[in-house]
């Protein structure tokens, strides 16, 4: 009997051990996860910010002061030590994010999440993320071993932190998902740079356009998707003289688009990824100092994409927003200049149809057969054997779509030509900008920049302002790359690149300010083809009108403009709809809503109901109008808002106005206004019954999701902030100003900055999300730009990083 | 001192010591070893190690978490869908540890009965 009892208790003990030591579905291994000695209770604390730490490979002492916002002010004696310290400090506060972002970039999420992430991973690998990162390293090895050395320093710094990290102190996400951090490398920093490129220059609609063109014909296509809108307010002012450009645009070959049917395309970055930046010269400034502002609009996440730091050596002193994984300050200032970026939104991805031979070892090009290069992507999948994906590479680039992925044609595929595969040295641009002292240094720093093409804004303590649209751009023939091209014809290849000195730019323009908001770079007088499918058309005009409205501007004006909620697109359509809509059939409830939007002044403020009515009304209208472009069997895209409004107002009787479903009736724009309004009113009534009201803050419900699939426990919800997409304050539900910076070019510069997050990546820290309320309220934190390593009063902790002895 | 008390102190002491060198299941080893060397009777076989570990874990959790305003405990309590209540999470943590230790205590007792012929 006692043996039976023994066996039963033994089994029971082993069972409880197994249950508490094993990850069960989404539940972490509870014994490991919850025990106070090594589990999450150890993360119930802030990161330590005092004392001394030994770091291998440091050549000298590095002092790190933390201010009350937990911004580290790093004082190193040389650049190698500086980037080691940046790696170390970044890892200390953001280790999990640092690694997770590069796993995501590399297509390695299946390792953590299992099979569910496999399509994502395959997509990232097939678009050549890993290949592109390898090209970056190859390029730098050949041309710039110095910067590569700094990247190794950064890696050493991250690894110094990982090596001394006890498993008890692993960030909570590792404990939740039950895995461990791996060592950092140059490759990971390169992947991070690829991730930036994908986020900002990874969007294109070429294949969708191809389908639309085949469906509706050229005349309708050109009406719906014009190269230029009826009015443009470009980044580089319209009256700019381009006569110095002596390299002509590539002449048009006799090439036709390939009108294939493409059923499905790969996932794309968020279409709202964009930004604002602007600067005013000393003459336009109320104080006589140039002022610069930048606010990049990205997905709102925790931990935030940005980590604010001061990075200094005896020869330079930079301050601003860094991105975990990249070296130096990305958007910020030093003692002499300030800089910031917005996305240039140019089309740097084109697609080529590839014809293979029977065994898919060669493809047709210039009436010959050319060998394909085979790259096997070996994808680790948690709980399963690895998945091997064969990707064929042509001279254009990877064949993303073929018989193995989203296509069933044995003999053909679509290859991607993407500037991000060309290698490059973006990292050097940031390192040089951090050290730049004047306009010439800034221009020199930009020479290394290939992609993602950016509008780099500049201001200096000398009062100069400038803006360069920088990137490596193909010198395309008119219309090149708008649609799928025949990959066998050499004339369809990118023939050459626009010399960088001919990239559009402006220095100290007469109007006294420069600005960019992802709109058209230039007007039609610029001699190169600059088409893109998603130039912005609203924020730019609000910003430029603002700076044309008076003589001089102050920092307060800059704050007001960042927080400007004026909804120009509603202002351009709502009055027209109200005027032309037949109102006699409106019910009492609908009348109420009608009067509400009639009374709206077009500001998307949190307590207004107008923005919610507009969203519903326009949303329904858009769906009804473009129902011709709904399809389950092929990938399509629909016109942009600007052109939609233009067509509604100028082509009210066009065949597209008809709702396809209603066979016996042919609708016009006027009919759609009413139908959409009634549908919107019905929906708004439902929202009111469910949520109490539809004021803008409630309707929009801005939230900031944790990077791990928006894990609610680590996210923030219902943040009271106005704005919306296409508004200067571009805050939509989950996307918006991810960093707001204003720098007045006093000597030394005076900086203000804030972002929707906090310096710590630890959900258990009070610094995890402590900036969010101030950010939502439109306020700023003043940035303590320390001029020496002497402690000031707002320093709450200091840490010394020391060279490790006995090496 | 009663055997109950001695076992309690031994389990607690061993658990704390072993936690420096072993993962979370050090509490199971501690309970097992105490039960082997200091056998208990009846319900105490389970409840003494159970209580020892409940006290150890709950106290330690509380000290760590209260010093940080329970910021993370609230979030983890939400994550595990127990209503965002940090005290409930602390209690749950204690009970998980306690049950694991209690069961190990029973195993220790059975081992001592079979192999050491102790009663």
């Amino acid at each position: 009997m006692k043996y039976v009892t023994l066996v039963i208790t033994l089994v029971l003990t082993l069972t409880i051990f197994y249950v508490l030591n094993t990850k069960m579905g989404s539940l972490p291994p509870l014994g490991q996860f919850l025990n106070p000695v090594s589990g999450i209770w150890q993360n119930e604390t802030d990161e330590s910010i005092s004392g001394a730490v030994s770091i291998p490979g440091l050549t000298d002492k590095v002092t790190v002061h933390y201010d009350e916002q937990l911004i580290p002010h790093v004082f190193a004696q040389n650049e190698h030590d500086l980037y080691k310290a940046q790696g170390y400090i970044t890892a200390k506060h953001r280790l999990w994010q640092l690694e997770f972002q590069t796993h995501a970039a590399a297509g390695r999420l299946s390792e953590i999440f299992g099979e569910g992430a496999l399509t994502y991973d395959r997509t990232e690998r097939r678009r050549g993320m890993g290949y592109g990162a390898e090209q970056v390293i190859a390029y730098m090895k050949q041309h710039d071993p110095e910067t590569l050395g700094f990247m190794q320093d950064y890696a050493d710094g991250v690894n110094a932190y990982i090596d001394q990290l006890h498993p008890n102190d692993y960030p909570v996400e590792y404990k939740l998902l039950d895995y461990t951090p791996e060592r950092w490398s140059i490759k990971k920093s390169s992947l991070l740079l690829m991730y930036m490129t994908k986020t900002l220059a990874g969007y294109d609609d070429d294949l969708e356009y191809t389908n639309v063109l085949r469906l509706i014909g050229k005349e309708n296509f050109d009406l719906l998707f014009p190269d230029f809108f009826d009015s443009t307010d470009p980044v580089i002012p319209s009256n700019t003289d381009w006569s110095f450009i002596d390299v002509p645009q590539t002449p048009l070959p006799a090439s036709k688009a390939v009108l294939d049917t493409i059923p499905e395309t790969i996932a794309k970055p968020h279409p709202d990824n964009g930004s604002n930046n602007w600067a005013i010269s000393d003459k336009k400034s109320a104080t006589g100092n140039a002022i610069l502002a930048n606010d990049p609009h990205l997905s709102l996440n925790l931990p935030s994409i940005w980590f604010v730091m001061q990075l200094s050596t005896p020869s330079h002193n930079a301050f601003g927003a860094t991105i975990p994984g990249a070296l130096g300050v990305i958007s910020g200032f030093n003692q002499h200049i300030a800089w910031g970026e917005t996305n240039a939104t140019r089309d740097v991805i084109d697609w080529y149809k590839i014809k293979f031979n029977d065994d898919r070892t060669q493809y047709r090009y210039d009436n010959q057969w050319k060998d394909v290069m085979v790259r096997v992507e070996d994808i680790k999948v948690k709980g399963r054997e690895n998945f091997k994906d064969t990707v064929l590479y042509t001279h254009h680039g990877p064949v993303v779509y073929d018989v193995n992925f989203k296509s069933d044609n044995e003999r053909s595929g679509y290859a991607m030509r993407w500037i991000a595969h060309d290698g490059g040295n973006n990292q050097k641009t940031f390192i040089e900008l951090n050290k730049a002292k004047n306009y010439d240094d800034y221009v020199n720093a930009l020479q290394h920049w290939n992609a993602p093409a950016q509008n780099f804004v500049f201001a200096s303590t000398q009062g100069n302002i400038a803006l360069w649209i920088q990137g490596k751009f193909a010198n395309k023939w008119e219309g090149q790359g708008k649609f799928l091209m025949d990959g066998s014809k050499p004339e369809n290849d990118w023939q050459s690149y626009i010399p960088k000195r001919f990239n559009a730019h402006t220095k100290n323009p007469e109007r006294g300010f420069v600005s960019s908001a992802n709109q058209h770079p230039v007007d039609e007088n610029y001699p190169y083809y600059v088409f893109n499918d998603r130039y912005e058309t609203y924020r730019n005009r609000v910003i430029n009108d603002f700076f044309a409205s008076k003589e001089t501007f102050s920092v307060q004006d800059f704050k007001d403009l960042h927080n400007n909620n004026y909804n120009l697109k509603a202002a351009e359509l709502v009055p027209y709809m109200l005027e032309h809509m037949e109102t006699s059939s409106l019910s009492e409830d609908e009348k109420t809503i009608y009067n509400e939007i009639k009374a709206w002044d077009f500001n998307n403020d949190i307590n207004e109901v107008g923005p919610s009515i507009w969203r519903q009304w326009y949303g329904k209208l858009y769906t009804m109008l473009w129902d011709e472009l709904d399809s389950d069997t092929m990938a399509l895209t629909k016109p942009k808002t600007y052109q939609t409004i233009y067509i509604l107002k100028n082509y009210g009787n066009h065949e597209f106005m008809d709702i396809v479903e209603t066979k016996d009736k042919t609708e016009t724009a006027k009919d759609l206004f009413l139908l959409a309004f009634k549908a919107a009113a019905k929906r708004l009534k439902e929202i009111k019954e469910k949520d109490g009201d539809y004021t803008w803050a409630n309707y929009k419900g801005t939230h900031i999701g944790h990077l791990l699939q928006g894990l609610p426990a680590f996210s923030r919800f219902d943040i009271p902030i106005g704005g919306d997409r296409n508004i200067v304050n571009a805050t939509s539900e989950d996307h918006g100003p991810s960093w707001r910076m204003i720098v007045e070019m006093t000597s030394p510069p005076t900086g203000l900055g804030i972002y929707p997050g906090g310096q710590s990546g630890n959900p258990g820290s009070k610094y995890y999300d402590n900036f969010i309320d101030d950010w939502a309220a439109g306020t700023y934190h003043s940035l303590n730009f320390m001029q020496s390593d002497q402690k000031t009063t707002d320093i709450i902790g200091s840490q010394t990083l020391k060279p490790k002895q006995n090496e | 001192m009663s055997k109950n008390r001695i076992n309690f102190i031994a389990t607690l002491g061993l658990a704390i010591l072993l936690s420096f060198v072993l993962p979370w299941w050090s509490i199971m080893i501690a309970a097992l070893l105490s039960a082997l060397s200091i056998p208990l009777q009846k319900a105490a076989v389970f409840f003494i190690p159970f209580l020892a570990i409940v006290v150890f874990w709950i106290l330690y959790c509380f000290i760590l978490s209260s010093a940080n305003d329970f910021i993370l405990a609230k979030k983890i309590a939400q994550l595990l869908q127990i209503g965002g209540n940090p005290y409930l999470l602390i209690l749950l943590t204690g009970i998980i540890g306690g049950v694991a230790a209690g069961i190990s205590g029973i195993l220790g007792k059975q081992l001592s009965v079979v192999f050491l012929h102790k009663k």
Side-chain angles (χ1 to χ4, degrees):
Chain A
M1 180 64 200
K2 61 187 185 185
Y3 289 102
V4 178
T5 323
L6 177 63
V7 169
I8 291 171
T9 36
L10 182 64
V11 169
L12 199 59
T13 312
L14 290 176
T15 306
I16 197 153
F17 169 77
Y18 178 77
V19 167
L20 294 179
N21 204 46
T22 312
K23 193 170 185 306
M24 306 265 173
S26 65
L27 213 58
L30 282 177
Q32 205 175 304
F33 187 67
L34 283 180
N35 85 83
V37 183
S38 66
I40 52 101
W41 302 97
Q42 290 292 327
N43 302 80
E44 181 80 281
T45 178
D46 296 325
E47 294 93 355
S48 83
I49 49 168
S50 57
V53 193
S54 296
I55 295 186
L58 271 189
T59 58
D60 211 327
K61 190 181 87 163
V62 179
T63 307
V64 185
H65 293 304
Y66 285 91
D67 65 27
E68 53 205 3
Q69 299 162 38
L70 206 73
I71 294 174
H73 303 256
V74 181
F75 294 88
Q77 296 308 311
N78 58 66
E79 271 189 279
H80 286 287
D81 283 359
L82 181 69
Y83 296 118
K84 273 199 183 75
Q86 187 183 2
Y88 181 88
I89 298 289
T90 304
K92 181 187 176 88
H93 301 289
R94 297 287 186 86
L95 178 61
W96 177 78
Q97 168 195 16
L98 186 70
E99 180 173 273
F100 184 75
Q101 285 177 175
T102 51
H103 271 52
R108 288 183 54 191
L109 294 186
S110 306
E111 264 175 62
I112 308 170
F113 298 116
E115 221 172 328
L118 193 55
T119 303
Y120 171 86
D121 283 348
R122 291 187 66 194
T123 303
E124 296 318 295
R125 287 163 187 255
R126 296 187 76 92
R127 80 166 104 229
M129 294 292 281
Y131 173 78
E134 285 160 21
Q135 300 312 305
V136 168
I137 297 171
Y139 178 92
M140 291 177 75
K141 269 192 182 144
Q142 202 183 342
H143 296 103
D144 188 9
E146 190 195 28
T147 304
L148 206 60
F150 291 142
M151 287 169 81
Q152 186 59 52
D153 288 324
Y154 187 95
D156 291 346
V158 174
N159 290 332
Y161 179 74
I162 293 174
D163 290 345
Q164 66 189 49
L165 188 66
H166 194 278
N168 292 0
D169 299 321
Y170 284 166
V172 69
E173 291 90 346
Y174 288 107
K175 296 180 181 176
L176 185 62
L177 297 168
D178 193 22
Y179 72 115
T180 55
E182 63 184 29
R183 289 175 68 78
W184 193 259
S185 61
I186 290 174
K187 173 87 182 277
K188 283 176 183 282
S189 283
S190 307
L191 280 164
L192 194 270
L193 295 169
M194 281 298 289
Y195 197 57
M196 280 165 61
T197 309
K198 181 195 108 178
T199 304
L200 297 170
Y203 192 99
D204 79 292
D205 273 332
D206 300 0
L207 299 177
E208 286 82 356
Y209 276 3
T210 305
N211 283 335
V212 174
L213 177 64
R214 190 174 33 71
L215 198 66
I216 67 174
K218 184 162 180 349
E219 193 184 329
N220 276 330
F221 184 91
D222 287 344
L223 173 65
L224 268 50
F225 303 95
D227 279 2
F228 285 88
F229 299 119
D230 68 325
S231 79
T232 21
D233 191 349
V235 175
I236 305 303
S238 283
N239 52 8
T240 304
D241 177 16
W242 302 113
S243 59
F244 67 96
I245 294 179
D246 55 10
V247 175
Q249 175 171 314
T250 306
L252 191 66
S255 220
K256 285 221 168 76
V258 185
L259 293 181
D260 275 13
T261 302
I262 299 109
E264 188 189 0
T265 54
I266 54 174
K268 291 172 195 174
H270 202 298
D272 291 346
N273 287 340
S275 315
N276 303 318
N277 63 22
W278 58 78
I280 58 171
S281 69
D282 48 0
K283 289 175 198 68
K284 216 172 166 63
S285 163
T287 58
N289 300 309
I291 314 175
L292 174 146
N294 187 200
D295 62 306
H297 310 152
L298 298 168
S299 283
L300 301 176
N301 287 122
L302 287 168
S304 166
I305 179 85
W306 303 107
F307 181 66
V308 177
M309 294 183 93
Q310 179 171 359
L311 295 169
S312 73
T313 64
S315 60
H316 85 284
N317 191 358
F319 199 123
T322 71
I323 295 180
L327 282 65
V329 169
I330 309 292
S331 164
F333 56 95
N334 61 29
Q335 287 154 309
H336 313 280
I337 73 157
W339 68 93
E341 301 84 17
T342 69
N343 201 11
T345 326
R346 285 268 269 279
D347 184 10
V348 291
I349 300 179
D350 286 337
W351 292 91
Y352 294 92
K353 181 171 184 171
I354 302 298
K355 245 181 275 161
F356 293 114
N357 65 351
D358 282 336
D359 58 0
R360 294 167 26 98
T361 53
Q362 291 182 313
Y363 66 102
R364 201 72 188 156
Y365 181 71
D366 201 10
N367 294 318
Q368 287 165 5
W369 292 100
K370 240 174 123 99
D371 288 342
V372 299
M373 188 191 95
V374 178
R375 183 181 164 99
V376 178
E377 298 284 356
D378 191 1
I379 309 174
K380 281 189 200 152
V381 186
K382 184 171 182 161
R384 257 191 44 180
E385 75 276 25
N386 291 10
F387 183 93
K388 285 194 172 34
D389 199 12
T390 304
V391 188
L392 305 180
Y393 278 69
T394 64
H395 74 286
H396 301 290
V399 183
V400 179
Y401 304 89
D402 65 5
V403 70
N404 294 325
F405 195 68
K406 294 190 194 287
S407 159
D408 48 18
N409 198 324
E410 292 279 352
R411 294 286 305 276
S412 70
Y414 302 128
M416 180 195 214
R417 176 74 183 97
W418 186 20
I419 195 68
H421 293 145
D422 285 24
N425 197 356
N426 293 357
Q427 186 56 73
K428 179 139 179 137
T429 294
F430 291 125
I431 288 176
E432 301 261 292
L433 279 175
N434 281 228
K435 296 189 280 191
K437 291 187 164 68
N438 50 44
Y439 177 78
D440 291 341
D441 289 351
Y442 149 84
V443 172
N444 287 335
L446 297 191
Q447 298 318 304
H448 311 288
W449 190 266
N450 283 357
Q454 297 290 294
N455 305 311
F456 284 92
V457 69
F458 163 91
S460 74
T461 51
Q462 292 147 346
N464 295 318
I465 56 169
L467 200 153
W468 270 81
I469 301 175
Q470 191 66 1
K472 189 174 173 187
F473 300 114
N475 181 351
K476 295 184 176 188
W477 38 264
E478 195 74 18
Q480 186 174 16
K482 202 166 175 178
F483 308 104
L484 177 64
M485 293 182 282
D486 183 344
S488 70
K489 296 196 171 130
E491 74 256 28
N492 288 339
D493 288 12
W494 291 355
Q495 304 294 318
S496 63
Y497 296 95
I498 299 174
K500 280 187 178 162
R501 65 183 185 282
F502 297 153
N503 279 343
H505 62 275
T506 178
K507 185 191 176 194
N508 294 330
E510 217 164 291
R511 63 183 187 180
F513 71 95
V514 293
S515 79
S516 72
N518 319 109
Q519 77 267 39
H520 268 87
V522 288
D523 66 9
E524 284 159 279
N525 295 321
Y526 184 65
Y528 299 110
Y529 185 66
V530 298
F531 167 77
N532 187 277
D533 39 40
R534 54 184 197 113
Y535 288 131
E536 222 273 349
T537 46
Y538 295 101
R539 286 182 277 119
N540 60 326
R541 289 185 288 152
V542 175
I543 293 166
N544 290 349
D545 289 351
F546 182 79
F547 284 114
S549 69
K550 55 180 186 174
E551 283 303 306
T552 60
F553 292 83
S554 65
V555 166
Q556 185 57 45
D557 291 319
F558 274 48
K559 292 182 182 174
D560 294 344
L561 186 52
H562 267 164
N563 290 284
N564 184 312
N565 287 334
Y566 186 62
N567 192 332
L568 179 57
K569 74 183 163 184
E572 289 186 338
L573 184 60
V574 170
Y576 183 87
M577 291 199 292
L578 292 174
E579 188 190 327
H580 291 88
M581 186 170 80
E582 185 58 58
T583 55
S584 55
S585 68
L586 294 184
S587 69
E588 274 312 302
D589 285 350
E590 288 163 352
K591 263 269 155 57
T592 311
I593 294 172
Y594 180 87
N595 288 329
E596 280 174 342
I597 192 157
K598 206 169 177 180
W600 182 36
D601 62 359
F602 305 116
N603 277 317
N604 274 37
D605 297 336
I606 50 177
N607 294 319
E608 296 280 353
V609 291
S612 318
I613 302 171
W614 156 254
R615 261 275 196 102
Q616 274 297 327
W617 193 3
Y618 180 73
K620 298 277 190 291
L621 178 65
Y622 188 86
T623 311
M624 287 176 183
L625 171 54
W626 301 124
D627 58 340
E628 287 83 358
L629 298 174
D630 288 327
S631 168
D632 296 331
T633 51
M634 63 180 141
L636 293 173
T637 187
K638 296 176 178 184
K640 299 282 122 190
T641 301
Y642 187 87
Q643 199 62 9
T644 300
I645 291 175
Y646 173 80
I647 291 170
L648 281 168
K649 283 160 92 167
N650 295 285
Y651 294 81
N653 296 319
H654 197 278
E655 53 179 323
F656 279 110
M657 299 297 154
D658 184 38
I659 298 177
V660 184
E661 241 179 31
T662 56
K663 295 259 184 293
D664 52 334
K665 202 170 173 303
T666 306
E667 285 84 0
T668 64
K670 260 171 80 172
D671 300 326
L672 295 186
F673 296 158
L674 183 63
L675 288 168
F677 185 82
K678 283 180 175 280
K682 184 163 168 267
R683 179 73 194 119
L684 287 163
K685 213 179 143 200
E686 288 166 12
I687 292 171
K688 194 168 186 171
E689 276 160 12
K690 192 169 144 279
D691 301 334
D693 65 48
Y694 47 80
T695 56
W696 184 228
N698 289 349
Y699 180 93
K700 181 165 66 136
T702 296
H703 52 270
I704 305 180
H706 185 261
L707 272 179
L708 197 57
Q709 301 162 324
L711 211 60
F714 296 164
S715 306
R716 284 277 300 268
F717 296 92
D718 296 319
I719 297 159
I721 181 166
D724 199 2
R725 64 180 64 95
N726 302 122
I727 290 178
V728 180
N729 173 14
T731 316
S732 60
E733 281 84 345
D734 57 359
H735 200 276
S738 59
W739 159 243
R740 278 178 175 152
M741 175 182 76
I742 300 173
V743 189
E744 184 178 353
M745 299 314 290
T746 47
S747 283
T750 314
L752 297 171
I754 190 150
Y755 66 88
Q759 288 285 89
S760 171
N762 174 15
S765 166
K766 63 174 177 286
Y767 298 106
Y768 175 67
D769 55 0
N770 58 325
F771 296 163
I772 291 178
D773 294 343
D774 285 344
W775 170 82
T779 54
Y780 298 77
H781 296 154
S782 65
L783 303 171
N784 178 7
F785 188 29
M786 296 175 71
Q787 295 304 299
S788 79
D789 65 357
Q790 292 308 304
K791 251 186 178 175
T792 54
T793 47
D794 77 336
I795 297 306
I796 59 167
S798 300
Q799 196 164 47
T800 310
L801 313 182
K802 293 185 307 189
K804 193 167 193 170
Q805 303 301 324
N806 312 323
E807 271 197 295
Chain B
M1 263 200 294
S2 74
K3 275 196 169 180
N4 283 353
R5 231 177 261 182
I6 297 170
N7 182 297
F8 180 89
I9 292 166
T11 308
L12 186 60
L14 263 178
I16 292 171
L17 281 178
L18 288 177
S19 75
F20 288 103
V21 286
L22 292 176
W24 72 274
W25 43 263
S26 57
I27 54 156
M28 296 179 79
I29 305 286
L32 187 97
L33 291 178
S34 304
L36 274 175
S37 45
I38 311 152
L40 303 172
Q41 302 301 324
K42 295 187 183 137
V45 175
F46 175 83
F47 279 107
I48 294 299
F50 172 85
L51 276 178
I53 298 308
V54 164
V55 166
F56 171 26
W57 277 22
I58 282 187
L59 266 181
Y60 193 13
C61 288
F62 185 83
I63 292 166
L64 289 172
S65 199
S66 63
N68 196 44
D69 296 331
F70 304 99
I71 294 175
L72 187 60
K74 285 178 198 159
K75 291 176 181 172
I76 298 295
Q78 196 188 337
L79 184 86
L80 297 179
Q81 295 173 356
I82 52 169
N85 185 333
Y87 303 105
L88 202 57
L89 183 71
I90 293 177
L91 188 68
L92 179 76
T93 302
I95 290 173
I96 285 176
V99 168
I103 302 280
S104 310
I106 299 176
L107 179 64
K109 164 78 176 177
Q110 290 306 314
L111 285 171
S112 78
V113 168
V114 173
F115 296 107
L116 307 174
H117 309 292
K118 288 186 182 170
K119 276 281 157 172

